[in-house]
Amino acid sequence: MTTTLERPTAPPGGGDRKRRMPGNGRLLLGVLVVWVLGWAIFQGTATLEIGGADLTDFHLWLNSIRDGFDQARAGSFFFEYVIGGISAVIDATVTGLRDLLSQPSFPRPVPEIGWLGVVAIFSWLAYALAGLRSAVMVLVGLLLFGFLGYWEDSIDLLIVTLVAVLVCVVIGIPMGIWMARSRRATAVLTPILDAMQTMPSFAYLAPLVLLFGIGPASAVVTTLIYALPPLARITAHGIRSVSPTTIEAARSMGTSRWQILRTVQLPMARRTIIVGLNQCTMAALSMATIAALINGPGLGQPVAQALQSLDIGNAFVSGIAIVIMAIVLDRTTTAASERAEVATRRGGTPRSRRIGLIAGGVVALVCVYLSRLYIQLAQFPAEPDLGTPLAAGVTAFTDALVRAVSGLTSALTSVVSTVLLNPLQSLLAGSPWWLMFLVLLAVAYLAGGWRPTAIALVCLLVILGTGLWNEAMKTLTTTIVATLAVILVALVIGVWMGRNRRADTAVRPILDAFQTIPPFVYLVPALALFGPTRFTAIVAAVAFGVPVATKLIADGIRGVSPTSVEAARASGTTAWQMISRVQLPMARAAVVLASNQGLLNVLSMVVIGGLVGGGGLGYYVVAGFSQGQLFGKGLAAGIAITALGIMLDRVAQYAAARYGRR
C-alpha cells in the first residue's frame, strides 16, 4: 500500500498530490540505496572510533566534574544539608531495617527480629492485604530464600524495594491525582515521566553516584526514579476513569472537591491504583537488582558476581531467588487489588476474617518474641541446604548441555553474526558519521514526520557530543537485530494466540511469568548457552522483549472487527489471506505499538548485556563503575544511551500514531 508523507491536501494548481508523490516505501528504498553507495565509497573513514582506554575532552571534563563533586560535598550547603540530608535519611532507614530484619545489630550477633519473626510478620501482612492464599505463598517464598542460602540478601533486596515503593506511593499517588484533576499538571509532568520511562535503567546509575555516592541511598533513589512513572500514570488513569455521572451526582449534593476525591474518586479507583502499585513494585524490584552495580544491597550482588566469574550454578540459584520474590510480590499485589474490590462491594470485613486477623497478629507477635529469645529462631538454619546441591547440579547440567549443543549454538551464533550482525554493524559503525547522521534523520522523517525528525536531530547531536558515536552505532546494531527477532517471534505467536482461544489460554500465563522475571535474570541462561558474547546479550534481549510484544499483537488481532473477518471468510479467503490481508493490516497500530515496546525493552536489555560481553555503550557504563579513570566515559555512555533510547522511542511512537490514523 502506498502512503504519503503528510495528510493529502489539494496542491496549488489542482490535481491529487497523493497520486504524484512517491510512497514512503520507495523513499526508504532510495535512502537505503544512497546509504549503501555512500558506505561503499567512504567505508571506514570518519567513523569516530576511539580506543577503549582513550578519553575525549568531554570525558576528561566529566571526570573533573566528579572530582569537583567530591570536593564540593565538604563545604557546599546544598550537598551537605540537602543531598546529604536525603542520603542520610535513606541510609539510616535502610540500615535500620537491615539491623531489624536481616543483618546483625551490634552488639547482638543476629538481627533484632530473627527469621521466624520476619516470616510471621510478612505472612500476616500478606493475609491482611491479600488473603490466605497469598499468605501461604509469602510463607513458602520466604522459607525458600533461606533454604537456597540467600536469606540475608533476599531480605535486603526486599527492604530496598519496599522503601522505594513506599516513597513512590508518597510521591506518585498525589502526583497522579494532580494530573487527573489538572490539564496543566498533565502537560508539565507527562514529558518528565516519558523521559524517566524511556531512559534505559543503566543510564540512571552514573549521575546518581555523583550526587549520592555508592550505597543504599543511590540504590533507593535509582529504584524510585524507575518505578515512579507507572504508579503516577495509572493513578491518574484510575481517577479519570470514574464515571462523570457519579461525580456530578456527588457535586449536586454540595460536596467539596476534597470530599469528592476522598469519598468517590479514590474508593472507585482503588483497584486501578493497586494495579499501578503492582507495576511500581515490579519495576522497583527490577531496578533494585540492577542497583547492585552501585553497591545496592540485595540479591543483585551475588548475581553480578556470579556472572562476572562465569559461575552459572550460583548465578542460577540467586536468580531463582529473585524470580521467587518477583512472583510472590506480583501475585500478592494482584490479589490485594482483587480483595480491595470485593471489600468495597461488601462494605465491611466479615467477622470470621476479623477473628483471623487478630489471631494471626497474636501468633506473629509471639513468633517475634521467640525469635528474639532463641538464637536458633533468629539465625536461619543451615539445613536443609537446597542451594549448594542445586548450584552444583545446574553447573554439571550446564556443562553437559553446552557440550551437547555447542555445535548448534556456535553455528547459530556464527550464522546470525555473519548474515545480520556483521554486515549491519559494518553499515552502521563503518559508515562515515555524517552519512549515518543524515540517514537516521531521513528515516525519522519518513517514519513520523517533522516532529520526530527534530527530536532525532537533538538526540544525534547529543550522541555526537559524547564522543561515543561509533559505540552508539554498535549498540544500535544489536538493538535492531534483537528487535527484528522480537517482532518476528511476537508476530508468529501473537497471531496464533489472537486467532485461537485455546492457544491464548495456554500461552498467556507463560508470557505473564516471563514478564515477571527481572531483566538481570535473563542473562543467566543466555550466558550458560552462548558464553560471554554480544549474541548472548541479543538472546537475553529477545527473551525479555517477546512477552509484552506478543500480548499486544494478540490483543490487536483479537480486536479486529468480527464483521470484517466474517465478510472476508464468506468471500472464500484462505487462512493465510485472512492473516496477511485482513487481520494484520487492520491491527497495524497494535503491531507498531508492540514493535515500539519491544524495541525499548530490547534496548534496556542490550545495555545490561554489557555485563556478559555485549560490548557497545553498555560495556563502558559498567567499566565506568569499576575503573575510576573511565568514570567520565561511562557517564558519557549513559548519556548516549539515553539519547538513543529517546530517539528510537519518539520515532516509533510517532510512526505508530501515523499508521494508527491511517
Side-chain angles (χ1 to χ4, degrees):
M1 182 177 68
T2 302
T3 57
T4 59
L5 294 175
E6 303 293 345
R7 287 188 176 276
T9 57
D16 188 356
R17 184 170 66 181
K18 180 178 178 181
R19 294 179 182 175
R20 296 204 306 263
M21 184 177 292
N24 283 5
R26 295 179 183 178
L27 291 176
L28 282 172
L29 180 60
V31 169
L32 177 61
V33 171
V34 172
W35 178 21
V36 173
L37 288 176
W39 168 80
I41 297 171
F42 301 104
Q43 181 181 2
T45 61
T47 60
L48 303 183
E49 184 174 9
I50 62 174
D54 294 339
L55 302 176
T56 67
D57 292 339
F58 181 63
H59 305 156
L60 294 173
W61 179 69
L62 291 176
N63 279 341
S64 68
I65 288 181
R66 175 200 57 189
D67 298 336
F69 268 75
D70 292 338
Q71 296 173 1
R73 285 193 182 94
S76 169
F77 175 85
F78 176 75
F79 281 102
E80 188 170 353
Y81 294 101
V82 179
I83 299 298
I86 294 173
S87 180
V89 169
I90 295 175
D91 283 340
T93 302
V94 173
T95 302
L97 289 173
R98 294 178 73 192
D99 290 343
L100 183 68
L101 303 176
S102 64
Q103 301 295 329
S105 177
F106 184 81
R108 288 171 58 87
V110 292
E112 293 291 342
I113 300 177
W115 70 268
L116 181 65
V118 173
V119 170
I121 290 172
F122 282 113
S123 299
W124 180 80
L125 286 174
Y127 175 67
L129 296 173
L132 182 59
R133 290 184 180 180
S134 295
V136 173
M137 182 183 297
V138 168
L139 172 66
V140 173
L142 289 170
L143 292 177
L144 283 175
F145 296 152
F147 295 150
L148 291 173
Y150 289 101
W151 173 258
E152 292 85 0
D153 288 325
S154 299
I155 301 303
D156 285 346
L157 177 59
L158 193 59
I159 288 170
V160 172
T161 301
L162 294 182
V163 169
V165 169
L166 179 62
V167 179
C168 282
V169 169
V170 172
I171 299 174
I173 291 181
M175 183 184 294
I177 295 171
W178 187 28
M179 291 174 64
R181 309 185 83 181
S182 170
R183 292 184 179 181
R184 289 184 179 180
T186 301
V188 171
L189 294 175
T190 296
I192 299 173
L193 296 176
D194 284 345
M196 291 166 67
Q197 280 193 296
T198 302
M199 290 172 63
S201 53
F202 256 32
Y204 295 134
L205 301 182
L208 290 174
V209 169
L210 282 179
L211 292 174
F212 296 97
I214 290 177
S218 288
V220 171
V221 175
T222 301
T223 304
L224 165 68
I225 294 174
Y226 190 67
L228 180 64
L231 178 59
R233 288 180 186 277
I234 295 175
T235 298
H237 171 70
I239 298 294
R240 290 194 196 103
S241 299
V242 175
S243 170
T245 305
T246 305
I247 296 175
E248 285 300 322
R251 187 175 289 121
S252 67
M253 297 174 65
T255 54
S256 64
R257 284 171 57 87
W258 166 248
Q259 289 173 326
I260 290 175
L261 175 66
R262 184 172 56 87
T263 61
V264 178
Q265 290 176 311
L266 285 177
M268 296 188 71
R270 182 185 300 172
R271 183 178 182 183
T272 303
I273 293 173
I274 296 180
V275 170
L277 182 63
N278 168 266
Q279 296 301 306
C280 171
T281 304
M282 299 312 297
L285 176 62
S286 172
M287 194 64 209
T289 308
I290 297 173
L293 296 173
I294 53 175
N295 204 31
L299 283 167
Q301 292 198 7
V303 174
Q305 292 166 4
L307 289 174
Q308 291 170 356
S309 61
L310 303 182
D311 185 354
I312 300 300
N314 283 318
F316 177 84
V317 175
S318 50
I320 284 295
I322 294 174
V323 173
I324 292 171
M325 185 177 295
I327 293 173
V328 168
L329 290 175
D330 177 61
R331 295 296 178 264
T332 302
T333 50
T334 301
S337 69
E338 296 170 353
R339 176 164 290 278
E341 185 179 13
V342 172
T344 301
R345 289 199 303 265
R346 287 179 177 175
T349 303
R351 183 171 179 271
S352 59
R353 178 166 170 77
R354 290 199 300 270
I355 294 174
L357 287 172
I358 294 172
V362 171
V363 170
L365 291 175
V366 171
C367 290
V368 169
Y369 173 75
L370 292 175
S371 72
R372 290 181 55 83
L373 195 60
Y374 298 102
I375 189 70
Q376 298 90 340
L377 303 179
Q379 194 170 29
F380 204 94
E383 298 293 337
D385 179 11
L386 302 181
T388 301
L390 180 59
V394 168
T395 300
F397 173 78
T398 301
D399 292 341
L401 179 64
V402 169
R403 286 193 298 269
V405 302
S406 59
L408 177 61
T409 55
S410 298
L412 182 59
T413 304
S414 177
V415 168
V416 173
S417 298
T418 303
V419 175
L420 282 177
L421 276 175
N422 294 340
L424 186 58
Q425 181 168 306
S426 180
L427 270 174
L428 288 166
S431 296
W433 71 266
W434 51 266
L435 177 60
M436 275 308 311
F437 198 102
L438 294 174
V439 167
L440 291 173
L441 287 180
V443 171
Y445 175 74
L446 294 175
W450 285 112
R451 288 185 179 179
T453 305
I455 296 171
L457 174 62
V458 174
C459 292
L460 291 173
L461 289 174
V462 169
I463 295 172
L464 194 62
T466 63
L468 295 172
W469 177 271
N470 193 265
E471 297 300 327
M473 294 303 103
K474 292 177 181 177
T475 298
L476 182 58
T477 300
T478 51
T479 301
I480 290 173
V481 172
T483 302
L484 289 175
V486 166
I487 295 171
L488 180 61
V489 174
L491 277 173
V492 173
I493 301 177
V495 169
W496 180 42
M497 290 171 60
R499 290 170 53 86
N500 189 317
R501 288 283 182 182
R502 290 184 179 178
D504 186 272
T505 303
V507 175
R508 192 170 289 268
I510 299 174
L511 297 178
D512 290 339
F514 270 84
Q515 204 169 348
T516 302
I517 299 173
F520 221 40
V521 180
Y522 283 97
L523 295 177
V524 177
L527 180 65
L529 289 174
F530 299 97
T533 66
R534 59 179 177 173
F535 189 71
T536 302
I538 292 175
V539 171
V542 172
F544 184 56
V546 160
V548 63
T550 302
K551 290 196 287 187
L552 286 170
I553 291 175
D555 293 340
I557 294 294
R558 189 174 297 109
V560 172
S561 169
T563 305
S564 302
V565 174
E566 286 301 322
R569 186 175 289 118
S571 65
T573 57
T574 63
W576 171 246
Q577 289 173 329
M578 179 72 75
I579 295 170
S580 60
R581 298 184 181 181
V582 179
Q583 291 175 313
L584 280 180
M586 296 187 73
R588 177 180 293 179
V591 173
V592 177
L593 178 61
S595 302
N596 168 255
Q597 294 302 303
L599 185 148
L600 291 178
N601 285 342
V602 161
L603 179 62
S604 64
M605 195 66 207
V606 163
V607 174
I608 296 173
L611 285 170
V612 291
L617 295 171
Y619 167 77
Y620 287 110
V621 173
V622 176
F625 297 122
S626 58
Q627 303 177 44
Q629 71 276 14
L630 293 181
F631 177 86
K633 199 168 188 177
L635 182 54
I639 296 171
I641 290 166
T642 302
L644 188 64
I646 291 174
M647 179 184 71
L648 294 175
D649 175 63
R650 294 297 99 179
V651 171
Q653 284 203 19
Y654 276 99
R658 169 175 284 191
Y659 283 118
R661 288 194 301 268
R662 290 174 181 171

